[in-house]
Amino acid sequence: MDLETVLATTRANLTFDVADPWAVTLTVRTGDDNWVPWVFARSLLTDAMVAGGATLDPVGDGDVRITAHGSRVLVELDSPSGHAILRLPRADVDRLLDEAEQLVPEGSEVLDLDVELALLAGEDA
């Protein structure tokens, strides 16, 4: 990915929720002022930040691919309805990952299988 070929710079929010500690959510404002959420693995973002700068090859094989380089993080989103590359400030991404690590360190996540099965069955957990 060429860092100078950024197809879209738009408003986006990156969030972490302790209720789903394996994920982060990138909510992107579309041209018609709608907000579209993209949920992807926190480890994908962490892996890209760790690799950051060693290569310009993006981390990720699916609809979300991430490249961290210098003071920027490029997030490439691909879906049937379109394609975009968003530029995020690296300091903001680092801060989010640091806060997520403080709240729920990677590797310490807990899965309550009974709750998850109840939710899948449409029951109250």
Side-chain angles (χ1 to χ4, degrees):
M1 176 185 314
D2 178 359
L3 289 177
E4 300 308 315
T5 309
V6 177
L7 301 178
T9 301
T10 186
R11 175 88 189 222
N13 296 316
L14 188 62
T15 57
F16 172 77
D17 183 353
V18 295
D20 188 2
W22 292 278
V24 293
T25 301
L26 178 67
T27 307
V28 180
R29 190 180 78 188
T30 63
D32 54 2
D33 212 26
N34 287 327
W35 290 85
V36 178
W38 287 75
V39 179
F40 55 92
R42 172 170 67 153
S43 61
L44 177 67
L45 189 56
T46 301
D47 291 349
M49 299 303 282
V50 170
T55 176
L56 290 182
D57 293 331
V59 173
D61 295 321
D63 294 340
V64 179
R65 296 166 33 114
I66 304 170
T67 305
H69 185 72
S71 64
R72 312 180 248 200
V73 176
L74 300 181
V75 180
E76 184 176 2
L77 305 173
D78 203 7
S79 77
S81 62
H83 178 89
I85 300 173
L86 308 172
R87 180 175 40 205
L88 305 175
R90 185 182 187 122
D92 291 349
V93 176
D94 282 335
R95 187 171 24 263
L96 175 104
L97 288 174
D98 288 345
E99 290 172 3
E101 185 68 16
Q102 299 245 341
L103 292 168
V104 183
E106 282 193 79
S108 71
E109 302 92 340
V110 176
L111 177 65
D112 186 331
L113 196 51
D114 292 331
V115 170
E116 296 301 320
L117 290 173
L119 291 172
L120 285 172
E123 302 168 2
D124 288 334

